[in-house]
Amino acid sequence: KQWYQRRVAITAGGVKFMGNGIMIKHGKEIFCGNLNFDTTEKDLEDFFVHNGIPVGKVTILYDKITGDCKGCGFINFLDESAFNKALKLDGSEFDGRNIRIKSSNEPKAITIFCGNLNFDTTANDLERFFVDNGIPVVKVRVVYDKITGDCKGFGFIDVLDESAFNKALQLNNSKFDGKNIRIKREETLKEKRQRAATTVFCGGLRFDVTENDLKTFFIDNGIQVSNVKIACDYETGYCKGFGFVDVLDESAANEALKLNGSEFDGCKLKINFHESKRQRDQSRANSLYCGNLSFDVTEEDLKNFFMVENGIHVTKVKLAYDNETGDCKGFGFINVLDESAVNEALKLHGSLFRGRVINLPGSQKRNQRSNQVYCTFLTKNASEQDLKRFFMDHGIQVRDVKIPVDKRTKQLKTFGFATLSDETAVSKALELNGVKFKGQGIIINHAMHSGTKAVNSGTKAVNSGTKAVNSGAKASMNVLDNL
C-alpha cells in the first residue's frame, strides 16, 4: 500500500504511474473553443464553477510569442456527471463570446470540399443535396463574398466516417443546381503546400477558353495534367483571363514554366508558379521599379546588372513589353531577396546601364515616412489596440496606430500603419517581419510617402501626355497625306 501511494499520483485526468509514465484515464476531457484572446485559466475555471460544475484541471493554449490565449483550451473532469453537465453549456455566452464545447475524445469528422457550386447556392441547399442522397451531414459551410453576399462557388461539408465519405465521393460530377458538382477530400496544410509546388498560374487566356482547351494544350506539349481550374465571371460565365493547372510533379511544373510566352489560341500565354497571398505580399515588399531602360534590354541583361556586376541577389525580373513590336517599354521590376538587398539596390540609382542612367524612384529614402511602418496580413479580428500592444510587448514605443475601415462592410481591413517613436524603433519593428501576431505571421515594411503616389501619378500623366502628342502627330500626318 505504501509503495502504491508513493508510485501513483492521482490527477484530475486520471491515475498516472510516475515511474513508467503510464496514464490510465478515469476522468473525461472537453475541448473549449472560441475563447477571448485575453482569457485566463482562472477565468475559464470560474465559468464552470459558477455553473455548478466542479473542475479538475484547466489548460489554455497560449501563443509562444505574444503570450495571448490562442482561443482554445481543455478541461478535465473527475466524474461523468460533471462532464455531461459541461457539454450542455455549448453555445453559452462567456466573456462576450459563445463558447464552443465538445468532447475531446470524439472521432474527428471528415471534411469534404465541394466545388463548382452555383453563386446563389445556400448552406441549406448543399446540406439537402447530400441528405437526399442518404449521406448524414455533421456540418455545412458555404463560402460567401463579403461585399455581394453571393456564394463564391465552393464550400465544405463534414461527415461522420469513411463510409459516408466514400458515398459522398460517388456523387462527384453529379448534377446539382444546374452544375456538375466537384467533390473531394479537403487537403491538410501539408498537402496544400506540396500541391503548391506543382500548381502553375496561367494568364493571358481568351475569354471563351474552356478548361478542356487548356488541359489539351499542356498534354499536347507532353505535360501530364491532374486538374485544371479556370476563373470564370459568375454573371457571364466567361473566363476571367486566367486559371490554374495542377501537374503531376515538380519536374512537370518546371517543364510547364518553359511554355511561358507560348502562343495559345491566338494569345501569348503567361505561366508562373502559383503564389499564396502571403508570398505575394512578401514579394511586393522587396520589389523595385526600374525606369529609363534601353528599348533593346532583356530581362537577363537587367538581372546580370544587379547580380553579376553589383552582387545583389535578384529573385525575379519582369520587363514591360510592347505587344506589337515586342520591344521593352523602357521600364520593369525586380524582386530582391530581402530588405538589405533593397537598400543595396537603391544605391545604384543614377548608375549607367547600357548607355542610360537607370532610374530607381525609391532611392530617396525609398519614400519612407520617417517613423511609420506598414503592417499587412493582419487577422480580421485584430484591433488597433492589439497592434499597439504587439509592438509595445517587444519593447517598441508606439505613438499612433491606424487600421483603415472598409467603407462597404464597416469592418477593419487586414492592413494598417504604426507611427513609432524614432528611427531606432522603426529598425526594431522591421526585425519583427514574419513574427506571429494573433496566430498569423505579420508582414512589416516601411510606410511609403504620399510623394510616391505623386511621383507615380506624375509618371502616368507624362505617359498620357506622350500618347496624346503621338496621337496628334499621327492625325497631322494623316491630314497631310490626304492633302
Side-chain angles (χ1 to χ4, degrees), residues 18-75:
M18 302 299 288
N20 298 318
I22 301 171
M23 174 72 83
I24 304 175
K25 292 225 172 181
H26 293 306
K28 290 282 188 176
E29 186 181 64
I30 64 166
F31 167 82
C32 301
N34 200 34
L35 306 179
N36 246 326
F37 295 107
D38 54 0
T39 296
T40 65
E41 291 177 348
K42 185 72 170 63
D43 296 333
L44 191 57
E45 183 178 356
D46 289 345
F47 169 73
F48 285 94
V49 171
H50 290 327
N51 283 280
I53 303 171
V55 173
K57 185 179 179 183
V58 179
T59 305
I60 280 184
L61 303 184
Y62 294 99
D63 189 282
K64 293 179 182 178
I65 297 171
T66 65
D68 292 334
C69 165
K70 282 189 171 182
C72 60
F74 299 89
I75 299 181

Side-chain angles (χ1 to χ4, degrees), residues 111-136:
T111 302
I112 299 173
F113 170 84
C114 305
N116 200 35
L117 307 180
N118 246 327
F119 297 104
D120 55 359
T121 295
T122 65
N124 287 335
D125 296 335
L126 189 58
E127 182 177 8
R128 190 166 59 248
F129 170 73
F130 283 94
V131 172
D132 289 348
N133 282 280
I135 300 168

Side-chain angles (χ1 to χ4, degrees), residues 34-38 68-71 97 146 377-387 389 403 411-415 437-440:
N34 200 34
L35 306 179
N36 246 326
F37 295 107
D38 54 0
D68 292 334
C69 165
K70 282 189 171 182
R97 292 189 173 195
K146 292 178 184 177
F377 216 73
L378 308 179
T379 56
K380 293 176 183 177
N381 59 353
S383 66
E384 292 177 351
Q385 190 62 31
D386 294 332
L387 188 56
R389 188 173 61 183
I403 297 178
Q411 294 180 341
L412 292 174
K413 294 189 176 182
T414 55
F415 67 90
F437 167 57
K438 295 183 80 65
Q440 273 188 190

Side-chain angles (χ1 to χ4, degrees), residues 206-391:
R206 286 175 59 95
F207 297 107
D208 56 353
V209 74
T210 65
E211 292 177 350
N212 194 51
D213 295 334
L214 191 57
K215 184 176 183 179
T216 303
F217 170 78
F218 279 92
I219 292 174
D220 288 346
N221 283 277
I223 299 169
Q224 291 299 310
V225 174
S226 58
N227 188 42
V228 176
K229 175 62 180 173
I230 284 179
C232 296
D233 186 279
Y234 75 93
E235 289 183 350
T236 64
Y238 288 124
C239 168
K240 285 186 175 181
F242 67 92
F244 303 92
V245 175
D246 293 339
V247 293
L248 292 183
D249 50 38
E250 287 189 40
S251 63
N254 291 326
E255 287 299 315
L257 291 181
K258 294 177 183 177
L259 297 175
N260 183 40
S262 302
E263 187 174 324
F264 169 57
D265 207 9
C267 294
K268 188 181 281 189
L269 200 59
K270 298 174 185 175
I271 300 178
N272 212 331
F273 276 119
H274 172 49
E275 292 181 331
S276 66
K277 183 179 184 296
R278 180 194 294 272
Q279 290 170 322
R280 290 195 298 272
D281 285 342
Q282 188 64 55
S283 177
R284 290 186 190 116
N286 298 328
S287 178
L288 286 172
Y289 169 86
C290 304
N292 198 36
L293 305 179
S294 176
F295 296 109
D296 58 354
V297 74
T298 65
E299 291 178 351
E300 191 65 28
D301 295 334
L302 190 58
K303 187 175 183 179
N304 288 337
F305 171 72
F306 284 96
M307 287 192 72
V308 179
E309 298 178 29
N310 292 284
I312 298 167
H313 193 152
V314 175
T315 58
K316 187 178 178 181
V317 178
K318 180 65 180 175
L319 292 180
Y321 292 102
D322 187 284
N323 290 333
E324 294 181 0
T325 65
D327 295 332
C328 170
K329 284 188 173 182
F331 68 92
F333 300 87
I334 63 163
N335 286 3
V336 293
L337 189 62
D338 50 31
E339 187 70 22
S340 63
V342 169
N343 294 328
E344 287 300 314
L346 291 176
K347 294 176 184 177
L348 298 176
H349 174 68
S351 302
L352 275 177
F353 170 53
R354 293 183 66 88
R356 289 196 175 197
V357 176
I358 193 169
N359 180 25
L360 302 170
S363 58
Q364 307 180 351
K365 291 188 179 179
R366 209 182 174 198
N367 296 307
Q368 299 161 2
R369 288 184 178 168
S370 53
N371 298 328
Q372 197 175 63
V373 291
Y374 170 73
C375 309
T376 187
F377 216 73
L378 308 179
T379 56
K380 293 176 183 177
N381 59 353
S383 66
E384 292 177 351
Q385 190 62 31
D386 294 332
L387 188 56
K388 184 176 182 178
R389 188 173 61 183
F390 168 73
F391 284 110

Side-chain angles (χ1 to χ4, degrees), residues 436-474:
K436 281 201 172 183
F437 167 57
K438 295 183 80 65
Q440 273 188 190
I442 189 172
I443 293 178
I444 302 174
N445 248 292
H446 286 294
M448 305 299 283
H449 249 315
S450 56
T452 304
K453 294 180 181 178
V455 169
N456 292 339
S457 299
T459 304
K460 287 181 181 178
V462 169
N463 290 338
S464 300
T466 305
K467 288 180 181 178
V469 170
N470 291 338
S471 300
K474 286 180 181 178

